[in-house]
Every structure is written in C-alpha cells, then in structure tokens.
Amino acid sequence: AMKQLGFDAKPSEVNKMIALADQDGDGVLNFEEFCIMVGPQMSEKETPVEIDRGFALIAGRAARAGIDGGSKEDQITLEDLRQVAREVFQFSGEEIREEQIRALIAEADQGDDEDDAGDGLVSLDEFRIVLRKAGVF
C-alpha cells in the first residue's frame, strides 16, 4: 500500500513518521493526523487528480484482494481500510487496531451530496474535505 502511494520508506522510517504525526500523543493516528503525516511525503500541494488517484487506490482495495465486504469502488469501506492496515502491517510491522480503523471512517464520514453522514462509507468528496482540512491540497 505504501509503495503504491509513492512512499519508499523502511519500516523503521514509517514508525518514526507515525510517532511524529501523533500530535495529541494518544498513540493513535486519527484521519487528520494521518493526512498530515503523508502530506509532506507527497509534493507541496497535490492536484485534485493525484488526490483522486489516492482515493482510487484505497476504495475497493478489499474487493481487489478478494475479500468480502469491500466491493464498492466509489466509496472507502471499513474492509478497504482493514486491507490497507494488513498491508501496512506486512510492510512495517506497525499494527493498526480495529478501533483506529473505525475512528478513521467515523472522522471522515461526515456526509455530503453522495451519501449520508454516519453510513460507514467515505465518498470521494468526504475524502477531499479531510485532505483539504489537513492542507494536502
């Protein structure tokens, strides 16, 4: 997952990035802290096309890995983030707990023209809103 997003970092470097991004020191990266962490690894400001590409890498990821429950490619599902968490663990040894995954979805799932808030799915517009708040573009 990390390499597909353009990151070529060693597990120890990823762990340092996570520790630095944990602004409130609770040991958990919320979605905004995650966006702040990956933002500097991307160019100064990403274009909407690059943001959309990042969304496409995550949305439908579970279905592409043959896992039930992640079949919607127009939304990021809980299963998609679980799959990303498995890939992060394989790459870095860093475990992302279930409550962290659920918190990421809850934080980004604020509702928009495409869906309702609290439906457990993150649309492209919701993804853009969170990244814009984090100053990624």
Side-chain angles (χ1 to χ4, degrees):
M2 299 294 281
K3 286 187 182 194
Q4 287 180 330
L5 291 172
F7 300 104
D8 191 21
K10 295 179 179 147
S12 61
E13 294 169 333
V14 173
N15 291 334
K16 286 179 190 174
M17 289 169 49
I18 290 170
L20 289 172
D22 184 18
Q23 295 180 340
D24 57 14
D26 65 356
V28 176
L29 286 186
N30 62 38
F31 198 72
E32 195 165 331
E33 289 171 332
F34 171 78
C35 292
I36 290 168
M37 178 185 79
V38 298
Q41 302 305 313
M42 302 165 122
S43 64
E44 277 297 312
K45 296 285 181 181
E46 296 300 318
T47 67
V49 170
E50 292 164 320
I51 298 301
D52 293 358
R53 181 175 165 259
F55 178 85
L57 286 171
I58 300 170
R61 190 164 201 88
R64 291 189 297 273
I67 298 167
D68 292 333
S71 62
K72 294 188 78 155
E73 292 200 19
D74 61 336
Q75 307 250 342
I76 295 173
T77 67
L78 186 60
E79 282 304 321
D80 292 328
L81 287 184
R82 285 177 179 149
Q83 178 60 26
V84 169
R86 283 188 285 273
E87 293 172 15
V88 167
F89 181 75
Q90 289 172 348
F91 175 76
S92 70
E94 181 73 26
E95 183 177 355
I96 302 173
R97 297 185 314 270
E98 179 71 16
E99 60 267 18
Q100 292 171 294
I101 295 168
R102 289 181 180 277
L104 289 171
I105 290 280
E107 187 169 346
D109 181 22
Q110 299 300 310
D112 58 18
D113 293 340
E114 295 178 36
D115 67 2
D116 297 323
D119 65 356
L121 302 171
V122 177
S123 70
L124 176 58
D125 284 343
E126 290 169 322
F127 187 73
R128 288 176 179 158
I129 288 167
V130 172
L131 292 177
R132 193 170 287 120
K133 283 182 186 176
V136 174
F137 79 112

